Structures are given as C-alpha cells and as structure tokens.
Amino acid sequence: MTSLTAPLISIVLPVRGVAEFLPACLDSVLADPAASLEVIAVDDASPDGCGRILDARAARDQRLRVIHLAGRLGPGPARMRGLAAAGGSYVWFVDPDDLLADGALAAVAARLAGDRPDVLLVDYLIWHRPGRDGPSPGHGLLAAPGSGRTLTLAERPALIDRTMTAWSKVFRRQFLLGLGACFPPGIHEDVPVSCVALLAAERIALLDRVCYLYRRRARSFLATPGLGHFAIFSAYAQVFARLDGRPGPAATPAVRAALFGRAIEHYSTVLASGLVPRRARRAFFHRMASDFRRYRPAGYQYPHGARGLKMAVIERDAYLAYRLLAPVNRVRVAVRRARRAGA
C-alpha cells in the first residue's frame, strides 16, 4: 500500500473461537463507508468457522483483508502479524468479541487529525449483556487538557490507572513500531505495550467519549483459569526495565509511584479473581510480595485505610493475614465500583 492510498486507521483483529460474536463486531467496525480505514483480521487457526465468516465478508468489502495462520499463535503474536501488515497512520487493536460504538470511528478520526498524538486514549463501556452495561473505571481521567493540546504521562500520572488493554488506545503506527515493544504469547499480553507506550509518548490525546463496548464474558481468553496468570509478573518486569533503561518524558518520581501502585493493584486483582489455581496462590502472593520490595519507590508511603493495610501485608509477605483481609477488600472494591457507577 503506497502512502497516497494509505488509510488513516488500520484496525487489527486477532480472531479465534468467536464465531457467535464476530459478525456483529465486523458490522460495527465496517459500518461507516466514509471512514479512512483498513481492517486486517488475523485468523488464528480458529476451529469454529471464523475463517469462513471473514472470507465471506472480505469478498463483499475490500477494506477487509484476512490473514490465515496455519497454527494457533495466540492473540499477542496474532496482533503482531496484523501490525506487520498494517499500512495506516494509526493502528487500533480491536478484540473480535467486542464492538465499536456508533460514530466512534468518526470521533476518533477527528481527534487524530486535530491532535496528531502518539497515543489516543478512548472511553468505553463494560458490556455485560444487552441493556446492562457499566462505565469504565477512572473515566473521569479522560477530561481533555484543552482544545488542541496533548500531554505526557508526567502531566497526568493517574492515566496509568486506566485499563491496561490495547483496545482502549489508538497508536500512531510508526511510534509503536519504534518502541520495540511487542505483544508476547500468553495472558496479560497487553500490559507491556500499553504501559511502554504511555511512558514513551510525547503526545497523548484524550477522547472523553464512549468509543468501545467491552464484552465481559466468562469464556474469554483472559478469564481462563490456570498458571498462565503468572505472566503478569514478567509483563510488568518489562515495563519497569523500560522505565529504568530508556527513560523518556514520563520518567518522574510521580509516574514511578503511580506505576508501582498500578502493578501491585493489578497483581492483587488477578489473585482475588480466583483464576489462579488454589495450589498456586501462595506462590503467586510470594511473587507479588517480592515485586513490592523490588519496585517500591523511594519515599513510598502506604495509602490510608484498608488499602494501606493491604499493602503492608503484601510487603511483609504475610499470606495468611492477606487471606483474612480478603472479605474486607472485596467490600472496599464493591463500594468503590458503586460510587463510580453513580458518578
């Protein structure tokens, strides 16, 4: 694809085992015929007919290109294959069981054209089922810094608390390629790319508009129980190594503290989810405590209240005490979510 015909946005879809959701996703992505768009779907050796669905749709819409993989690679490597084939100025990694909101592409294109960011953060809804959805955690952080103005993570460190998913961000393709970050195989593959991009970006734009509908479902790749969830530790290890080895505009004490808090909260959320097998939970907690002591920023102070108590117990590697605190923590999280929902 030459620069004269290159689209503004390349949407990359890693596809496997989502035949019941894929047609609706394609409808939402291809709904706007005026969008400067290409869609690259990577069929990750899907066993359920996704490849046929993609080929049939591509025959009707030349904006859709399909790459069929001979064997399963997983969503991370499938995204990398799609990224290598992309020709757009920006790339948006969309999960094929989710949807783009009505008018999302036009809103995103306008913000990209106006701000020319390295990374654009968009808002989303958590979609449990039709008629039942909830706001994204921390959606208030997306209040724009001013018309035509971008920012860095150093100016708003709390942005690291937004979801660590790739689909909540639109990346300038050349910026992303220049980072050298990649989606690894396995679970929690979004973390290295999402974090490293925010740390390195000199121009972050915010779109305080729901552009994405995230379908929360029990059978998703991320919701699969198993030892694969230990990958969260190597994911954040890559991020901290990047912060130490190639400091960018966001290498400030405030950003390091925010990243540290985000990592520990992410670990504890994974452990509380019940997805780590029971026999491995003590070992998972021990890894969490080790990372707490390894990455704790200079001058770090425990937060107030129950969250601070939880952090103290983690640092001391006191697993039994942590288990006793679990009911209190669940109540705290439920109250916080209720407040966000009512905001």
Side-chain angles (χ1 to χ4, degrees):
M1 183 174 294
T2 68
S3 59
L4 293 177
T5 60
L8 177 63
I9 302 171
S10 296
I11 289 182
V12 173
L13 290 170
V15 179
R16 181 179 172 86
V18 290
E20 62 183 302
F21 306 112
L22 182 57
C25 177
L26 292 172
D27 287 345
S28 73
V29 168
L30 295 166
D32 184 357
S36 179
L37 174 74
E38 69 172 0
V39 181
I40 301 172
V42 181
D43 172 20
D44 192 19
S46 187
D48 65 345
C50 286
R52 292 190 296 275
I53 294 172
L54 291 171
D55 287 341
R57 189 61 178 262
R60 305 197 309 268
D61 195 323
Q62 63 180 359
R63 294 175 297 170
L64 173 61
R65 288 189 286 151
V66 184
I67 299 172
H68 295 284
L69 302 182
R72 182 180 185 181
L73 296 181
R79 287 195 188 105
M80 297 305 297
R81 288 290 297 272
L83 175 61
S89 299
Y90 287 85
V91 60
W92 192 355
F93 299 100
V94 173
D95 284 353
D97 51 349
D98 297 334
L99 302 171
L100 297 190
D102 291 343
L105 279 170
V108 166
R111 185 56 56 90
L112 295 178
D115 293 345
R116 295 296 177 186
D118 296 322
V119 183
L120 172 66
L121 274 63
V122 302
D123 200 7
Y124 63 96
L125 288 180
I126 301 172
W127 201 42
H128 299 276
R129 60 177 181 267
R132 182 169 178 258
D133 51 40
S136 64
H139 58 90
L141 292 170
L142 294 181
S147 178
R149 181 172 172 265
T150 58
L151 45 73
T152 67
L153 191 60
E155 295 175 72
R156 198 173 294 184
L159 286 174
I160 205 72
D161 288 331
R162 291 287 293 171
T163 178
M164 285 295 101
T165 55
W167 46 254
S168 60
K169 304 167 185 70
V170 183
F171 303 94
R172 185 167 61 83
R173 185 170 61 89
Q174 290 300 328
F175 163 76
L176 185 59
L177 292 172
L179 290 179
C182 69
F183 295 100
I187 305 173
H188 306 297
E189 76 284 356
D190 288 17
V191 171
V193 173
S194 291
C195 278
V196 167
L198 290 176
L199 290 170
E202 297 183 1
R203 297 178 59 83
I204 299 174
L206 310 174
L207 182 53
D208 187 13
R209 181 194 192 281
V210 171
C211 295
Y212 196 94
L213 303 179
Y214 163 57
R215 191 190 305 269
R216 178 167 287 172
R217 60 189 185 93
R219 292 180 294 149
S220 69
F221 184 67
L222 187 62
T224 302
L227 297 178
H229 288 280
F230 275 77
I232 192 71
F233 299 111
S234 60
Y236 277 101
Q238 294 179 54
V239 177
F240 281 105
R242 174 67 180 238
L243 184 61
D244 292 334
R246 295 174 60 184
T252 68
V255 168
R256 178 175 288 277
L259 177 59
F260 169 78
R262 171 61 177 166
I264 300 302
E265 283 291 341
H266 202 161
Y267 298 163
S268 61
T269 299
V270 171
L271 184 57
S273 69
L275 295 173
V276 178
R278 186 178 300 275
R279 70 183 187 279
R281 289 173 189 170
R282 185 185 291 270
F284 189 98
F285 182 83
H286 178 69
R287 289 284 304 274
M288 180 163 60
S290 177
D291 271 15
F292 192 110
R293 294 188 293 270
R294 178 182 179 185
Y295 298 125
R296 175 175 176 163
Y300 174 80
Q301 299 292 321
Y302 296 137
H304 296 294
R307 183 167 178 262
L309 180 59
K310 182 182 76 169
M311 292 293 187
V313 168
I314 293 171
E315 184 174 26
R316 288 165 175 78
D317 200 3
Y319 180 62
L320 293 180
Y322 184 84
R323 287 184 60 189
L324 291 174
L325 282 174
V328 176
N329 189 54
R330 283 195 291 269
V331 170
R332 178 180 67 85
V333 172
V335 170
R336 185 177 62 188
R337 286 176 176 172
R339 287 174 177 169
R340 285 171 174 168

